[in-house]
Amino acid sequence: MGFWYFLMLFIGIALLVVGLRNKDVSRSVKIVSMSLVIGVLFIVVSLIMLMPGSSEVVGQLLQRN
């Protein structure tokens, strides 16, 4: 499972870099802003899921025991 979280982290970083590099392109402002938002979201989710004990927290949120 850790592999997929690292993959999400790297995809999020890549989307963040792409969004920051193309910020002055007026034609694709919507694409750039969405890649920034999705990149930050991927980074946050992957870092939360890589923390110890995150599987128990997710299990409690999903009402699983």
Side-chain angles (χ1 to χ4, degrees), residues 3-65:
F3 169 75
W4 298 110
Y5 301 143
F6 276 117
L7 185 64
M8 271 180 51
L9 178 66
F10 293 131
I11 289 172
I13 291 171
L15 286 172
L16 195 64
V17 168
V18 167
L20 288 174
R21 292 186 81 205
N22 293 331
K23 65 182 175 184
D24 56 332
V25 178
S26 62
R27 187 176 66 106
S28 62
V29 172
K30 189 174 185 179
I31 295 171
V32 169
S33 63
M34 286 305 294
S35 70
L36 283 172
V37 169
I38 292 172
V40 169
L41 183 68
F42 272 18
I43 291 170
V44 168
V45 168
S46 64
L47 288 177
I48 288 172
M49 294 306 292
L50 284 171
M51 290 176 22
S54 64
S55 60
E56 289 86 15
V57 173
V58 171
Q60 289 176 353
L61 289 174
L62 296 175
Q63 303 293 330
R64 294 184 183 177
N65 291 329

